[in-house]
Amino acid sequence: MKKPLYTIVDVKKTCNELLQTTFPDITVYGNGVYDGYTRPSFFTEILETSNNLSPYQRSLGYSYKITYFETTHDEKRCLEIYEEILYVFGIDVTIRMDDRKMRLLVDSIDFQWIDTNADKMQITIDFADTVQIGGRTETEDIAESCETMVRKESEGE
């Protein structure tokens, strides 16, 4: 398979930047922070799914998860944040790498409450799978023709 046009790091970096630009007053943390964070804040993580479709094709998908830690529970504010994320992430996200840009289509966006105190909301953005097509890897010569033999059944069988 060829190297992908963008990496999982490119996707997370772009999503984090979009989130930070949209909500400049809310700190964005990676999922490696356990202590010393402030509220309100976003914790983000990215998950990748990969399936081999054939020896020459692989599908690649991403889920970007945003967990919003509130200072105190305010359902109205949470829903406003969710709606803003729906608007900002929209139909696609443009991944920028050096001098190139790639659009990653958004498949779905949803949210759920993930704490019994209801002070944490998790938003999941699923991106549509892309299919990578690899090059020919065999080293043998390509057949120029193919013949088949038809076996005739003898009478009486």
Side-chain angles (χ1 to χ4, degrees), residues 8-154:
I8 191 169
V9 172
D10 295 326
V11 176
K12 184 170 183 186
K13 180 181 173 193
T14 298
C15 291
N16 280 353
E17 287 171 355
L18 189 56
L19 190 62
Q20 189 67 71
T21 301
T22 305
F23 302 100
D25 297 334
I26 301 175
T27 304
V28 177
Y29 295 101
N31 62 3
V33 174
Y34 300 105
D35 297 319
Y37 63 89
T38 60
R39 290 184 181 221
S41 57
F42 293 116
F43 280 75
T44 65
E45 64 181 308
I46 187 127
L47 305 170
E48 179 184 87
T49 58
S50 177
N51 296 306
N52 288 326
L53 305 174
S54 76
Y56 308 105
Q57 292 182 331
R58 180 175 67 185
S59 71
L60 191 60
Y62 301 100
S63 290
Y64 179 68
K65 293 187 180 283
I66 304 164
T67 304
Y68 175 55
F69 284 70
E70 300 177 84
T71 304
T72 58
H73 183 54
D74 182 349
E75 182 181 25
K76 180 179 181 279
R77 178 65 179 138
C78 287
L79 295 176
E80 290 169 349
I81 286 172
Y82 173 68
E83 287 180 339
E84 186 68 19
I85 287 172
L86 280 173
Y87 175 76
V88 169
F89 280 81
I91 296 172
D92 64 7
V93 171
T94 302
I95 309 296
R96 289 177 173 73
M97 302 111 356
D98 301 323
D99 59 339
R100 297 175 293 143
K101 293 191 293 186
M102 294 290 300
R103 289 175 50 201
L104 194 56
L105 297 176
V106 173
D107 189 38
S108 65
I109 303 176
D110 61 26
F111 79 94
Q112 62 183 347
W113 305 109
I114 62 167
D115 193 354
T116 54
N117 298 330
D119 68 342
K120 294 181 194 83
M121 174 179 66
Q122 188 169 74
I123 299 168
T124 302
I125 302 167
D126 288 320
F127 293 99
D129 288 357
T130 57
V131 176
Q132 295 178 324
I133 300 174
R136 183 173 175 268
T137 58
E138 295 87 1
T139 56
E140 295 83 18
D141 293 335
I142 298 174
E144 293 181 17
S145 66
C146 179
E147 295 180 23
T148 59
M149 294 177 46
V150 177
R151 182 177 160 209
K152 291 185 181 181
E153 293 184 34
S154 60

